[in-house]
Amino acid sequence: MFMLTVMVNILTAVLTFLSLIGYAVVYTVWLKRATSQNIVIGGAAGAAPPVLGWTAITGEIHAYALILFLIIFVWTPPHFWALAIYRREDYAGVGLPMLPVTHGVPFTRWQILFYTIILILVTLLPYLTGMSGMIYLAGVSVLNVGFLGYAVALLKTKNERLAMDMFHYSVLYLMALFAILLVDHYLN
């Protein structure tokens, strides 16, 4: 925190500290074992890095940084719930109240679809706000078709291996989304 304060700026130091406390204390110590919505609420700490990077460079919180935060925040539940479906017995065995453990797999699959639809809408914000252009819109549209395809397929199958495939896709999805944002930025 001292280095961030001295070498970067106070805002980045404060936000980093709050993110650290949010993840290490609020999420890990309390939420993870307290509620099946742990991933939704705890996702805020995992979504903080774009805001931290933005404030480190500019010294301010900008709406574009909040859009990046929102993308990761909304992406987190379907990403982790897909894994939790596949590993629900492991989570149950250690007493973690993940959604498929507390509410069942069918309910979790519907929640994945619900959050995927929200994610698709949120990922349009960079284009709709002028943060990005047509390259991003085209790229994220292709990525979103894939994400939605997995979410719909999960509703129609009993094969839980598909949940793990969706989890792996979601990792590539987020990486590709941010790569496309960069390409769009530098080519426009």
Side-chain angles (χ1 to χ4, degrees):
M1 294 302 110
F2 175 77
M3 289 177 65
L4 283 173
T5 302
V6 172
M7 300 174 77
V8 181
N9 60 54
I10 188 80
L11 179 59
T12 303
V14 168
L15 292 176
T16 300
F17 180 75
L18 292 175
S19 179
L20 177 64
I21 295 301
Y23 184 78
V25 177
V26 177
Y27 170 69
T28 303
V29 173
W30 179 58
L31 284 176
K32 190 182 269 190
R33 298 193 178 278
T35 174
S36 63
Q37 293 298 304
N38 53 20
I39 291 302
V40 177
I41 303 163
V51 177
L52 301 176
W54 200 289
T55 61
I57 299 298
T58 67
E60 65 180 17
I61 299 174
H62 190 278
Y64 290 166
L66 297 177
I67 289 171
L68 299 177
F69 171 92
L70 190 58
I71 289 170
I72 297 172
F73 182 74
V74 174
W75 164 87
T76 300
H79 164 72
F80 274 105
W81 285 334
L83 175 65
I85 287 173
Y86 189 73
R87 296 287 187 194
R88 78 179 175 285
E89 290 157 9
D90 295 338
Y91 285 115
V94 296
L96 287 178
M98 294 299 285
L99 197 62
V101 174
T102 61
H103 289 75
V105 172
F107 180 81
T108 305
R109 290 176 180 182
W110 281 104
Q111 291 299 304
I112 287 172
L113 178 62
F114 174 69
Y115 273 90
T116 299
I117 292 167
I118 294 171
L119 177 64
I120 290 168
L121 296 173
V122 167
T123 58
L124 296 176
L125 290 175
Y127 176 76
L128 295 174
T129 61
M131 177 182 179
S132 66
M134 290 302 294
I135 294 170
Y136 171 77
L137 182 61
V140 81
S141 295
V142 170
L143 291 172
N144 283 337
V145 166
F147 212 108
L148 184 60
Y150 272 111
V152 169
L154 267 179
L155 288 176
K156 298 179 178 184
T157 185
K158 298 289 184 198
N159 179 359
E160 293 183 5
R161 175 71 196 157
L162 184 63
M164 199 62 186
D165 292 342
M166 181 178 185
F167 172 79
H168 288 126
Y169 178 80
S170 70
V171 173
L172 295 173
Y173 170 94
L174 194 64
M175 179 184 66
L177 183 146
F178 278 92
I180 292 166
L181 265 174
L182 284 171
V183 169
D184 184 273
H185 174 77
Y186 285 108
L187 292 180
N188 282 328

